[in-house]
Amino acid sequence: MPRRLAILGSTGSIGVQALDVVSRADPQQLQVVALSAASGWEHVVEQARALGVRRVALTDADAAARAGEAWTDGQVLSGSDGLVRLITECECDLVLNAIVGSAGLVPTVATLGEGLDLALANKESLVVGGELVMALAEATGATIIPVDSEHSALHQLLGAERPGTVDRLTLTASGGPFRGRTAAELERVTVAQALAHPTWAMGGKISIDSATLMNKGLEVIEAHHLFGMPYEQIDVVVHPQSIVHSLIGLCDGASLAHLGYPDMRVPISYALHYPERVDVPIAPLDLAALGALTFEPVDEETFACLGLARAAARAGGTAPCTLNAANEVAVHAFLAGRLAFLDIAAVIEETLTRLPATPVHSFESLGDADTRARAVAAELVAGRAEA
Ligand code: NAD
Ligand code: MG
């Protein structure tokens, strides 16, 4: 029997690469049974037709209505309730959550609540609701397999180690398009410059997160929850070539690294086939051709977002949710030309100051914290636009 997959965010960067991985797999191994996107209904319908999928969800109600008119071979579910129904009723074995932003939390919870295994690209789910999400997976017995390249590397490295032998996790960061720049040089950078990532081709939001280094801050929080490692034992090092995806440091002084060319089809394939491995058409790693792999410390003064993420992580409670929501608002404003690059960090810092952390008791309290933080961050963005 093939493994039945639901692919959420199928029209995005990860979603499209996941469908590429599936198209190369043996149909006896993987079968897509459900797809979802926010609003790009033509693309989803085209994917559904090509794959013989009978159920899709579009969270935008207008897009869902149009898809329903244009595509009569299957069922179109609408809105965020429709997305939850897609997950709970599609009788799949594995859900790939490749939605961007905290909108991915509800589908993560729906998946794990059903006891379904989750291939998780949506790191924001863990940033916002890490404790509750991990507890839910534990309670229902669902497995979370990370898709983020660093965390996929760590999952592979940690799999072979006995409990208690791992002292440190080290996440590598490319440094993004602005590595080596001073704050003064970052004052007038454009959206196009910020989107031009040196080693990875990704969606808009994560590309900006990589330019500010917020992406690495989110990933430190993601690693803490996935692998239960205290924050003091999670390091970040800049590695511009993006060949070493992460390292673990062991109690006997050995360090183990995971290497490969930067291509998200590798961690996607790992997550979709886990615990099996299958061929992915990637050239063998040629270290002699690469010549040198280099490493340098993070410039935390210029790239303040990493420190803000670490501080929110230490504060705990609603702070990581507030950090994430403010970041989403600020990045959106930057992409729309309404906020300067350096003001992304400033808006997040001020939002965290205005909304001190409170304990999290339920997913509802996270929803409230997310709404409050978005309102404060939007007000700060508007204030800066007027100034
Ligand atoms: P993207 O913007 O290219 O695609 C996002 C997908 O989510 C689209 O299909 C979109 O229709 C859907 N979507 C957007 N908003 C939604 C909403 N409110 N409700 C439901 N669906 C919605 O994003 P991406 O680059 O593919 O990233 C997806 C996730 O994977 C992010 O969390 C990102 O951090 C993570 N990730 C991406 C990469 C990468 O190489 N792109 C690498 C590591 C991790
Ligand atoms: Mg990553």
Side-chain angles (χ1 to χ4, degrees):
M1 283 287 279
R3 182 174 283 174
R4 294 160 57 89
L5 306 177
I7 301 194
L8 315 183
S10 64
T11 59
S13 166
I14 293 288
V16 166
Q17 292 180 86
L19 293 182
D20 181 67
V21 167
V22 172
S23 73
R24 292 166 198 278
D26 180 346
Q28 291 308 310
Q29 290 181 319
L30 299 179
Q31 181 193 4
V32 181
V33 297
L35 298 167
S36 90
S39 57
W41 67 271
E42 294 100 328
H43 195 176
V44 179
V45 166
E46 183 192 315
Q47 291 175 333
R49 285 199 171 117
L51 292 157
V53 167
R54 296 289 163 156
R55 275 193 144 193
V56 305
L58 286 146
T59 48
D60 181 271
D62 286 346
R66 289 188 173 217
E69 283 164 23
W71 183 60
T72 47
D73 299 344
Q75 187 183 16
V76 180
L77 299 166
S78 169
S80 93
D81 293 349
L83 177 56
V84 170
R85 268 189 64 201
L86 182 86
I87 297 163
T88 56
E89 295 176 7
C90 72
E91 294 179 359
C92 65
D93 306 303
L94 179 70
V95 175
L96 169 64
N97 185 348
I99 290 171
V100 62
S102 64
L105 178 62
V106 168
T108 284
V109 172
T111 301
L112 298 174
E114 289 293 303
L116 295 170
D117 290 343
L118 176 64
L120 186 62
N122 179 259
K123 63 191 83 185
E124 294 91 345
S125 297
L126 285 175
V127 171
V128 172
E131 278 91 3
L132 296 180
V133 166
M134 296 310 290
L136 181 60
E138 176 86 32
T140 63
T143 303
I144 302 177
I145 308 125
V147 171
D148 214 346
S149 58
E150 298 78 1
H151 305 73
S152 175
L154 291 171
H155 192 265
Q156 295 173 54
L157 292 165
L158 292 167
E161 297 309 320
R162 301 246 166 110
T165 56
V166 180
D167 286 344
R168 302 203 81 75
L169 307 180
T170 303
L171 303 174
T172 52
S174 69
F178 302 139
R179 182 177 62 88
R181 305 266 189 109
T182 63
E185 288 168 338
L186 294 181
E187 250 163 42
R188 286 179 208 292
V189 292
T190 64
V191 170
Q193 288 169 327
L195 284 173
H197 196 276
T199 50
W200 296 96
M202 308 180 287
K205 192 259 179 182
I206 183 174
S207 295
I208 302 307
D209 286 347
S210 300
T212 61
L213 289 200
M214 178 56 89
N215 185 49
K216 217 44 59 177
L218 302 180
E219 291 186 355
V220 167
I221 301 174
E222 182 186 11
H224 165 79
H225 291 299
L226 281 172
F227 307 117
M229 187 61 87
Y231 283 111
E232 321 75 82
Q233 287 161 257
I234 306 175
D235 300 328
V236 174
V237 67
V238 174
H239 167 46
Q241 297 82 20
S242 300
I243 297 294
V244 177
H245 300 308
S246 274
L247 305 95
I248 60 172
L250 301 169
C251 58
D252 62 0
S255 286
L256 307 182
H258 179 288
L259 283 75
Y261 292 116
D263 187 323
M264 285 307 293
R265 290 176 304 168
V266 178
I268 293 169
S269 175
Y270 175 80
L272 298 188
H273 289 280
Y274 180 79
E276 307 297 330
R277 280 187 193 267
V278 304
D279 292 356
V280 180
I282 308 276
L285 185 63
D286 186 344
L287 288 174
L290 285 165
L293 300 179
T294 61
F295 301 89
E296 56 192 71
V298 177
D299 175 358
E300 293 213 24
E301 221 169 289
T302 307
F303 297 93
C305 284
L306 177 57
L308 291 174
R310 282 199 183 271
R314 274 196 304 276
T318 51
C321 172
T322 301
L323 168 98
N324 178 73
N327 181 55
E328 287 188 30
V329 169
V331 169
H332 185 73
F334 172 71
L335 283 169
R338 290 187 283 113
L339 191 70
F341 182 78
L342 290 176
D343 283 345
I344 296 174
V347 164
I348 298 164
E349 185 170 18
E350 180 63 22
T351 307
L352 284 164
T353 307
R354 291 204 196 173
L355 297 171
T358 54
V360 172
H361 302 295
S362 63
F363 286 113
E364 287 70 36
S365 57
L366 289 172
D368 295 344
D370 180 271
T371 306
R372 273 197 303 275
R374 280 172 197 274
V376 169
E379 196 185 303
L380 293 167
V381 168
R384 277 164 198 270
E386 278 163 23

